Amino acid sequence: MKILLLDKNHPLITEQLSAKGFLLDEDFTSSYDDVLKKILDYDGIIIRSRIPIDRNFIEHAKNLKFIARVGAGMENIDCEFAELSGIRLISSPEGNRDSVAEHVLGMLLILMNRLFIASNEVKNGIWKREENRGDELLGKTFGIIGYGNMGKAVAKRLSGFGCKVIFHDILPNLSDEFATQVSLEELKKESDILSLHLPITPETHYLIDEKFISEMEKDFYFVNTARGKNVKTKDLVEAIKNGKVKAAALDVLEYEKSSFENLETKNEDLQFLLNSEKVIVTPHIAGWTTQSKEKLAQVIVDKILIEIV
């Protein structure tokens, strides 16, 4: 079975699959059109986000048996057409859920306790104590939207912080020892903190907009490590300015390229986020640790060996 690797990943993918008799080729630079010219030769592809696997791509890949996405989100793939074409879809959200959960807690603690701001001030000879008084997680209600691998990992990390953790998900009966499932209305009523752990779909595109924010009963902290387009940035910015959103921790932005490698748009709303003391922004690295790189790759290898061989 021949496999084409279209993005750089941990070398264990090549090492372990080669040892099992797979033939692997690497192509980390060819354009979409150049890949199309040779995709007919391959039984499987392993990707991250560099090249979109759309209907046209799949129609050219007549011999493709599987598409393996090293990561969680599958929005770069026409999943419906792939499945109709008999192609197996594999992803590895188990591989970076711990990294995402730690990133959520890290950003939130920095934000609520003004750690980055206070550190920079002291380094510049400014000593402010009252102005940098923090806000505790203890006693707050932490609301999660999306209780899959990432949401559950976040809830588990919160178990030692004295929070009440609630979540909303479209699937029923997901409550566990770490969090209680509630309606979206109840989540909006109770949450002091809101964290997104959703794929990007037509239903979740711009889920967080002016209407949603206005329906939150309390002023709240907002965390997004899911997808930038889950949030209508213009409405989030307005909510930060008027105090409805106390502060925001954003690892993803509406203005990212589809490959997540950089920003494709710059505007006033983005500049506000980058300049505001009430906002922390990181470059889509919540799932990006040394450990997660290896775990993501290992999950992909294990699933290929179990589901495809």
Side-chain angles (χ1 to χ4, degrees):
M1 185 176 285
K2 290 187 68 175
I3 301 175
L4 180 62
L5 285 74
L6 289 172
D7 295 276
K8 291 182 180 180
N9 287 294
H10 196 283
L12 73 79
I13 292 179
T14 301
E15 294 165 4
Q16 294 185 18
L17 291 179
S18 295
K20 293 293 184 179
F22 290 86
L23 301 175
L24 285 88
D25 292 333
E26 296 177 347
D27 186 344
F28 306 146
T29 59
S30 288
S31 67
Y32 174 93
D33 289 335
D34 286 339
V35 173
L36 282 190
K37 295 174 184 177
K38 62 180 179 180
I39 195 60
L40 190 62
D41 296 335
Y42 293 94
D43 303 288
I45 55 174
I46 299 175
I47 63 167
R48 285 208 316 262
S49 305
R50 186 173 70 87
I51 289 180
I53 311 301
D54 56 16
R55 182 174 184 136
N56 180 56
F57 186 102
I58 294 166
E59 286 176 339
H60 279 76
K62 300 293 186 183
N63 295 317
L64 211 58
K65 296 177 178 63
F66 74 88
I67 300 168
R69 166 47 160 107
V70 182
M74 303 290 276
E75 68 270 18
N76 211 40
I77 303 167
D78 188 333
C79 295
E80 183 177 357
F81 188 68
E83 290 174 341
L84 287 173
S85 302
I87 298 171
R88 195 71 165 268
L89 299 176
I90 300 171
S91 63
S92 54
E94 305 91 338
N96 62 351
R97 60 189 175 193
D98 298 315
S99 172
V100 170
E102 291 189 14
H103 198 89
V104 168
L105 266 293
M107 286 199 300
L108 192 58
L109 290 170
I110 288 170
L111 195 66
M112 294 176 68
N113 292 283
R114 296 176 59 86
L115 300 182
F116 186 73
I117 296 167
S119 176
N120 278 341
E121 287 178 350
V122 173
K123 288 179 179 180
N124 285 285
I126 301 168
W127 191 273
K128 293 181 179 179
R129 297 185 68 222
E130 184 58 37
E131 294 87 343
N132 286 310
R133 191 179 289 275
D135 192 9
E136 296 179 6
L137 274 170
L138 180 67
K140 289 185 171 55
T141 297
F142 194 108
I144 296 171
I145 302 183
Y147 205 61
N149 281 281
M150 312 304 173
K152 290 177 183 178
V154 171
K156 185 176 181 179
R157 295 305 188 287
L158 288 165
S159 61
F161 281 87
C163 294
K164 176 183 178 182
V165 185
I166 59 176
F167 70 89
H168 175 72
D169 196 284
I170 59 173
L171 299 177
N173 305 317
L174 298 179
S175 293
D176 57 24
E177 61 189 298
F178 302 113
T180 302
Q181 189 162 8
V182 298
S183 67
L184 190 57
E185 290 69 28
E186 186 172 350
L187 184 136
K188 291 176 181 177
K189 180 179 180 181
E190 293 193 25
S191 297
D192 299 291
I193 301 157
L194 179 65
S195 186
L196 298 189
H197 300 282
L198 296 162
I200 187 69
T201 68
E203 291 74 28
T204 65
H205 185 267
Y206 284 169
L207 175 69
I208 308 302
D209 60 5
E210 181 182 11
K211 181 176 183 296
F212 188 105
I213 293 169
S214 69
E215 290 170 351
M216 293 287 288
E217 186 164 309
K218 304 176 184 178
D219 296 345
F220 65 100
Y221 295 97
F222 179 65
V223 184
N224 189 13
T225 55
R227 289 291 183 261
K229 288 182 173 59
N230 292 139
V231 181
K232 193 169 186 178
T233 307
K234 182 178 182 64
D235 294 352
L236 175 63
V237 166
E238 185 57 37
I240 295 169
K241 288 179 178 179
N242 66 34
K244 184 64 181 180
V245 172
K246 292 181 176 181
L250 308 173
D251 182 55
V252 291
L253 293 167
E254 179 183 352
Y255 313 115
E256 288 179 75
K257 292 182 178 180
S258 60
S259 63
F260 310 135
E261 292 301 317
N262 212 323
L263 297 173
E264 62 181 2
T265 303
K266 294 184 179 180
N267 57 32
E268 290 183 7
D269 293 325
L270 175 61
Q271 286 306 123
F272 173 85
L273 296 177
L274 298 179
N275 294 326
S276 175
E277 286 192 351
K278 295 181 178 180
V279 181
I280 291 178
V281 182
T282 52
H284 206 128
I285 56 169
W288 211 251
T289 61
T290 301
Q291 293 80 8
S292 72
K293 182 176 182 180
E294 181 172 353
K295 286 190 283 187
L296 283 165
Q298 190 63 63
V299 169
I300 285 295
V301 169
D302 292 345
K303 287 185 177 181
I304 289 173
L305 295 178
I306 292 170
E307 300 179 24
I308 304 302
V309 176

